[in-house]
Amino acid sequence: ASTHTTIPIPVCALCNRVSAVLQAPCCGKLYVCRLCHDAEENHQMDRFKVREVQCSACLTVQQTQQTCQQCHLLFGEYYCDICHLFDKDKKQYHCQPCGICRIGPREKYFHCEKCNLCLAQDLQGNHKCVENVSRQNCPVCMEDIHTSRIGAHVLPCGHLLHKTCFDDMIRTGAYRCPLCMHSACDMQNHWKEIDKEIAQSPMPTEYQGAMVKIMCNDCQAHCTVPFHVLGMKCTSCGSYNTAQDGGLIQLQQPEQNMEPQQHDQQ
């Protein structure tokens, strides 16, 4: 089954802090956060290269630190001297392998070395690893996932989508991973409904006995199954998330109930 909100979202102050402003190392201008800078300028600010901040109370420009050296104003309950992030206390932590700060608490997450991202503790040893999966863009909106402020959703196949993109996808009736076509959520109840519909909707006489080769997108099995317009069920895992491989085969014509002709007796 898929898991909701299993990746801690990256931290962003979203301009809520006003006790200090960052001096952009690229252009020297003062901005409350890197996002404000990037929205106004034609270049991006490297948060890791920030060296100076200005106190909003006494206007003293100084090295990045948590408390103003002049008036002792606390710039943020949380401060990361790597990301140069000031924020309210949200149980943040800096993940060294991820290279960014994330909202915790830390003990609820672990860093998967192969996936190269932080996941919820209940997924430790209980998820399908995809190497460097968060470094790929969301296959729905094509925007960044790793540093996105939108929570991520882990699919059963191991691929990631933005949580909002996943919700929109399911809402429109799309249930397959855009990358590998594996079912994006638990479809067992839906498969049972298709079973009932097929049982109640026999194919026309000319198609009864028709078989077709299919490939299952969920278990990758190849099998030959009865053809039906409502769906073709994988005999290996029971999924209807299948793709037809070729045309109809083994089409057996139904026997005609024909009586022998009687000849007139002369």
Side-chain angles (χ1 to χ4, degrees):
S2 56
T3 305
H4 293 271
T5 319
T6 55
I7 298 176
I9 62 174
V11 176
C12 176
L14 293 177
C15 300
N16 287 329
R17 58 172 174 77
V18 294
S19 54
V21 290
L22 308 177
Q23 186 173 55
C26 43
C27 57
K29 297 179 181 179
L30 296 173
Y31 283 96
V32 175
C33 73
R34 66 180 179 87
L35 298 178
C36 293
H37 170 278
D38 294 350
E40 294 292 328
E41 305 294 340
N42 60 1
H43 58 277
Q44 293 185 333
M45 183 173 77
D46 187 342
R47 72 180 91 175
F48 305 108
K49 292 183 179 180
V50 173
R51 294 293 178 265
E52 293 184 319
V53 297
Q54 183 185 67
C55 176
S56 297
C58 68
L59 304 183
T60 301
V61 177
Q62 56 202 280
Q63 290 186 342
T64 52
Q65 52 195 315
Q66 191 168 11
T67 304
C68 177
Q69 66 183 25
Q70 184 67 27
C71 68
H72 308 295
L73 176 67
L74 183 67
F75 293 151
E77 296 171 341
Y78 174 81
Y79 169 62
C80 175
D81 61 359
I82 299 176
C83 297
H84 304 299
L85 171 68
F86 302 90
D87 202 0
K88 296 178 180 179
D89 184 10
K90 302 173 185 175
K91 307 299 182 184
Q92 302 94 324
Y93 67 96
H94 182 88
C95 176
Q96 192 64 39
C98 281
I100 56 177
C101 291
R102 295 194 180 277
I103 295 177
R106 181 190 293 269
E107 57 269 17
K108 289 189 176 181
Y109 299 93
F110 76 100
H111 185 87
C112 176
E113 296 297 332
K114 185 172 183 179
C115 294
N116 200 11
L117 81 162
C118 293
L119 296 171
Q121 283 288 354
D122 59 3
L123 287 180
Q124 192 159 13
N126 189 33
H127 71 284
K128 183 176 181 179
C129 290
V130 176
E131 191 167 0
N132 288 325
V133 64
S134 73
R135 269 51 173 189
Q136 303 171 10
N137 288 340
C138 172
V140 175
C141 67
M142 301 308 296
E143 297 292 335
D144 175 65
I145 290 180
H146 187 69
T147 61
S148 174
R149 290 177 286 124
I150 302 173
H153 182 92
V154 183
L155 300 180
C157 57
H159 292 124
L160 298 183
L161 307 176
H162 288 124
K163 179 63 170 61
T164 51
C165 292
F166 172 80
D167 291 341
D168 289 343
M169 188 178 75
I170 296 300
R171 192 178 299 114
T172 59
Y175 65 87
R176 294 184 290 193
C177 171
L179 294 176
C180 68
M181 306 303 286
H182 191 285
S183 293
C185 53
D186 186 355
M187 300 292 293
Q188 291 303 315
N189 290 335
H190 185 59
W191 301 155
K192 291 178 181 178
E193 290 299 319
I194 296 180
D195 282 339
K196 294 178 183 178
E197 292 178 10
I198 289 179
Q200 297 170 0
S201 308
M203 291 292 290
T205 303
E206 59 268 28
Y207 287 101
Q208 291 180 8
M211 306 292 286
V212 66
K213 292 182 179 180
I214 62 169
M215 184 193 77
C216 179
N217 290 319
D218 286 341
C219 71
Q220 309 305 312
H222 292 259
C223 43
T224 302
V225 300
F227 171 76
H228 201 288
V229 293
L230 295 180
M232 289 159 287
K233 186 175 184 177
C234 173
T235 56
S236 178
C237 70
S239 171
Y240 279 98
N241 181 13
T242 59
Q244 185 172 332
D245 183 14
L248 299 181
I249 58 175
Q250 298 179 7
L251 185 60
Q252 300 175 355
Q253 294 293 339
E255 295 182 0
Q256 300 294 327
N257 295 324
M258 300 182 61
E259 297 180 359
Q261 294 182 356
Q262 296 182 353
H263 299 280
D264 291 339
Q265 299 292 327
Q266 298 295 331

